[in-house]
Amino acid sequence: MAGMGRGCAAGLGEVLQPFSSAPFLQASPLARSFQVDYENNCFRKDGAPFRYISGSIHYARVPRPAWRDRLLKMYMSGLSTVQVYVPWNYHETLPGVYDFTGNRDVEAFLDLTAELGLLVILRPGPYICAEWEMGGLPAWLLWKPDINLRTSNPAYLAAVDSWLHILLPKIKPRLYQHGGNIISVQVENEYGSYYACDYGYLRHLLGSFRALLGSEVLLFTTDSTGVEELRCGTLQGLYATVDFGPGSNVTEAFGAQRRVEPKGPLVNSEYYTGWLDYWGEAHASTSAAWVSRGLEDMLQLGASINMYMFHGGTNFAYWSGADYKDQYKPVTTSYDYDAPLSEAGDPTEKLFAIRTVISKFQPLPFGPMPPATPKYAYGWVALRKYADLLDVLDVLCPSGPVQSQFPLTFEALKQVHGFVVYHTQLPWDVRDPATLDAPPHSICDRAYVMLQKEYQGTLERDRQTMLHITGRAGDTLDILLENMGRISFGANASDFKGLLGNLSLNSRPLSNWLIYPLAIDTAVQQGWPHTALPKSSSGGRVGPAFYTGTFDTPGIAWDTFVKFPGWSKGLLWINGFNLGRYWTRRGPQQTLFVPGSLLHVGHPNNITVLELEGAPPTPVFDHADSPHSQGVKAPLY
C-alpha cells in the first residue's frame, strides 16, 4: 500500500487494493534519480515513491507555434508527464541526411516540456507504429536488397546504429539523472506483435541504448497483454509494461504484466482515450464516461498511466500510415483520435471528465484551463483549373523520365512519398473493350488511368484491379500511382509502393514504360504554379488536375477548417505547405484543419489543389470554424 516514508503501490497479491492518495514524504537524495523499486512495487523519483499520470503528444503532428498551447493544456489537466515518439523517418529523410529544424526540432520541443514543468517518457523507436508512415522507419531502408526490418539483419542494424548515434547523444543531456526531465526511454515498440520474435535484435538495441545513454536511465518495453506478445516483446534488463484500453478488465490486464514483471510498478503505457479513423469507415469515438471510469480504476490500484492519445493532431503531407487487416486500410489525415484535446487543440468534455478523476488523486495546478483557440470561417474561395497533371510533367519531373521495359517500384526509383506516372502506348488496336488489369497485390495503392489523356477510372489496392478500355495502336496510356501511406503495424512493414507487377491488356503484358517520379511538393514549395505563366488548361473536370486560387484574411490569422463540397479526392497546399489528403467522396473526414500559423495577414494566401478524380462544376471550397460545421450551399457563379 502507498503510505508515508518508503511505502509504495500494491504488489501482485494486493493488486485490487486501493492506492492511497496521501502525500508522500519527500526523500533527500544526494543525486537526481528515477528508478524502479521492486521491493515496494513502485517508481522512485529522487528516492521518494512516485507515480505518473501522462498523456501522449506527437510534435510531428502539431505545428510548432502550437506546441506551447497544447503542452500547457496538458499540464493544466493535471498531467505530470508527457509521452513522446521520435519518428526516425521524419528526421533522417534520406540516408545520412538529417533534419532537426523547424517542426522537426525535437530538442526545442523537449526543452519546452521542461520549461512548463512536465516530465517526459521518450519513445525513440527505432520503430514507433503510431499509425505513422511505415511506423517511423524510413522508406529508404527498402532500397537495400535483402533487408529484413526489425531483426538482427546486418543491413538493418547498421542503419539503426547509425541513426541512434545521431539521436541519442541529443537525448542524453536531457535525461533526469543529468538534470533534464526525461524519466524513462522505451526500446523498440510493441515488438511482441511483430512476427520475428528476434531476441538478438532486442539485446542489440539494449546494448546500443546503454552504451549511448548510460547505465542509470530506466529503459522499458510496451506490449499488449497477450501471452505471445509479452513472450516475444520483453527482455531481461528492460522493464516490461503493457497497453490496453477502457474496455479491458483492469485486474486481468495488469495480471498479464505481473506474469512477466512479478514485482515493480503497474504501468499502462497506452491507455486508449479514443481510436484512429480509416478512410471509408465510420468515425471512431469512445465515451468520456467509459474512459474516465477506466482511468479511475487504474489510479485506485496505484498504477502509472499514459493516455494515448491526449492530443492527436494531424497527419500533414504524406505522414499518415496504414494498417492491414484482411485488406489495406489507409489512415485519415486527421489524427484527432477522439482524444481529450481535439485535433485543433481544444479542450473537450472528455478532458474535463479526466481532469475530475485526476483531482481525486492529486491536486490540480492552480489557474484556469487555457481556452479553445479562436477559429474563423474565411468564406468561399473560387478556384480555377490551372492544368491537367499530364500537361505539366516537365515541371513536376524536371530530370525527365526513367525508361524501363517493365514498371519499377517507388523504391527502385528512390521515390519516398507522393506520386509516380507510368507512361506507355497501346501496342495494338483495341476495338472491342479489353481488360486492363494487374496481378494481385500489385497496385500500391491507387492508380488513376488515362488513355489519350482522358480519365478512364481508378484501380485500387485490394479492391478494383481491372478496367475495360478501347483504343488504337499508339494511343498513350498513363497511370498515375499514388502512395496512400505505408503500413505501420504488423508483419507487412516492408510495404513497397507503385506498380509491383506488370499491367496486362487481355492477359498480354504491356512493356516499354517511361516512368516519371513526381516532385510535386518541391515545385509547390518554390511557388509553382502561382509564379508560373498561366496555362490554357484543357477542358473537362475529371482526372488528375491542379487548381489554384487565393484568399485574404481580414486582419487576423486564426485556425480554420477547409471543406470540399462536391470534390472527390486530392491534396491541398496553402502557401506551399501540404495540409494532407482530402477524400470527400469516401470520408469519414470531410474537412482539413488549417493552423492559423500558416496564414498570411496583409497579403493573399495561395491555394493549390491537386484533384485526382473530378472537381465540381463550380470549383470552389469553403471554410468552417469547426470540423463538423455543415455550412451553406455553394454559390452558383
Side-chain angles (χ1 to χ4, degrees), residues 225-310:
T225 56
V227 172
E228 186 66 11
E229 286 85 346
L230 286 167
R231 184 181 74 82
C232 287
T234 58
L235 188 72
Q236 190 169 3
L238 297 170
Y239 190 73
T241 74
V242 291
D243 53 30
F244 56 89
S248 301
N249 180 306
V250 169
T251 310
E252 288 180 5
F254 281 134
Q257 183 191 0
R258 279 285 176 251
R259 285 195 296 274
V260 291
E261 211 61 89
K263 305 289 284 181
L266 301 174
V267 181
N268 186 345
S269 288
E270 290 187 9
Y271 176 61
Y272 303 108
T273 61
W275 203 247
L276 61 140
D277 284 346
Y278 302 107
W279 289 116
E281 298 189 12
H283 171 61
S285 64
T286 309
S287 80
W290 206 30
V291 171
S292 55
R293 185 164 58 244
L295 176 64
E296 185 162 358
D297 289 346
M298 289 186 290
L299 292 177
Q300 288 282 4
L301 297 177
S304 286
I305 300 150
N306 173 70
M307 287 170 271
Y308 188 103
M309 296 293 296
F310 205 86

Side-chain angles (χ1 to χ4, degrees), residues 320-340:
S320 54
D323 275 341
Y324 198 94
K325 297 173 183 174
D326 299 323
Q327 66 174 14
Y328 175 75
K329 292 159 69 92
V331 175
T332 57
T333 300
S334 172
Y335 199 66
D336 177 85
Y337 213 84
D338 197 33

Side-chain angles (χ1 to χ4, degrees), residues 430-436 467-471 505-506:
V430 184
R431 301 189 188 280
D432 298 318
T435 301
L436 177 73
L467 289 172
H468 292 102
I469 61 172
T470 58
L505 200 57
N506 276 355

Side-chain angles (χ1 to χ4, degrees), residues 323-371:
D323 275 341
Y324 198 94
K325 297 173 183 174
D326 299 323
Q327 66 174 14
Y328 175 75
K329 292 159 69 92
V331 175
T332 57
T333 300
S334 172
Y335 199 66
D336 177 85
Y337 213 84
D338 197 33
L341 282 172
S342 73
E343 179 180 13
D346 298 337
T348 65
E349 173 200 355
K350 190 176 290 183
L351 181 141
F352 290 106
I354 286 169
R355 196 168 183 257
T356 298
V357 169
I358 293 173
S359 72
K360 298 177 183 179
F361 295 88
Q362 62 190 45
L364 294 173
F366 181 74
M369 173 65 66

